[in-house]
Amino acid sequence: MAYNVADIIEKAVNIAVRRRVVYQKIGQDKGDILSIKILTKVLNKEVNKTIEYYETLLNLVNDRDFEEIDFSIYDKISFLINDFNNRINTENVRNARELLNFSLEMEKAVYSLFLDIQGRFVKTGDDVRTNTYRILTDIIENKAKHIEMLEQLRE
């Protein structure tokens, strides 16, 4: 079975869904705090937009032929993503400020994860011209916008 960027986008959707579940759980557990209730709704809307963005990319990718991903690279990427999903810890979220900091740190971690994934595709100078690299660049730029938005909220 050959892997391509669509498989990575599907894993990105899974990360976003996992984040949505985390925000919903925080909203339920701390829902008696109005600021957390409002913030979890905002964060869930942003995650839903991210999922829609990924699904749009997935539709675009599925309509074209993309470079195959070497199995060893894909295996390492899968390990990184699974490890990331297992490290999400919400125990320190007690108020809206901590939730915002938690969300910002999680977005930065996702950003770093995708930078790491993108870097694994570069073996030669020509690799930065592949469609896979371009799609990952777009995902990374999208993450950077989310980080910027959260940093503005934190101020």
Side-chain angles (χ1 to χ4, degrees):
M1 178 176 171
Y3 296 103
N4 67 24
V5 73
D7 298 293
I8 295 172
I9 295 170
E10 287 174 4
K11 290 194 173 290
V13 169
N14 292 337
I15 290 171
V17 168
R18 171 93 164 96
R19 287 182 17 241
R20 181 172 57 194
V21 168
V22 167
Y23 292 144
Q24 288 170 344
K25 183 176 180 339
I26 292 170
Q28 290 170 352
D29 292 349
K30 312 284 186 192
D32 55 332
I33 303 170
L34 183 60
S35 57
I36 287 183
K37 189 174 185 174
I38 292 169
L39 188 54
T40 55
K41 285 185 180 184
V42 169
L43 293 171
N44 270 317
K45 283 183 182 181
E46 287 299 314
V47 170
N48 288 335
K49 287 180 189 176
T50 299
I51 292 170
E52 288 175 17
Y53 162 74
Y54 290 148
E55 288 172 348
T56 300
L57 277 178
L58 202 50
N59 289 333
L60 173 75
V61 168
N62 285 333
D63 290 341
R64 298 186 191 168
D65 285 332
F66 277 81
E67 306 86 14
E68 288 185 12
I69 299 173
D70 180 78
F71 178 76
S72 64
I73 293 173
Y74 183 79
D75 188 49
K76 290 175 188 172
I77 290 169
S78 291
F79 175 80
L80 289 171
I81 291 171
N82 289 336
D83 184 52
F84 174 83
N85 280 329
N86 291 330
R87 286 186 288 133
I88 296 174
N89 182 3
T90 63
E91 292 175 15
N92 297 330
V93 176
R94 294 178 300 248
N95 57 49
R97 169 70 69 197
E98 289 174 357
L99 175 56
L100 196 53
N101 287 335
F102 166 77
S103 181
L104 180 59
E105 291 307 312
M106 191 166 26
E107 284 293 333
K108 287 179 178 179
V110 172
Y111 177 84
S112 296
L113 175 66
F114 280 106
L115 279 175
D116 187 357
I117 290 169
Q118 184 185 44
R120 292 176 186 271
F121 287 102
V122 180
K123 303 294 184 213
T124 69
D126 290 337
D127 292 338
V128 298
R129 292 189 228 12
T130 64
N131 290 323
T132 299
Y133 189 90
R134 288 183 186 123
I135 292 285
L136 289 169
T137 298
D138 195 48
I139 290 171
I140 291 166
E141 289 171 356
N142 185 275
K143 283 286 128 210
K145 290 176 188 173
H146 283 277
I147 291 169
E148 186 178 318
M149 183 268 304
L150 288 170
E151 286 175 336
Q152 289 174 356
L153 270 177
R154 193 168 68 168
E155 292 174 3

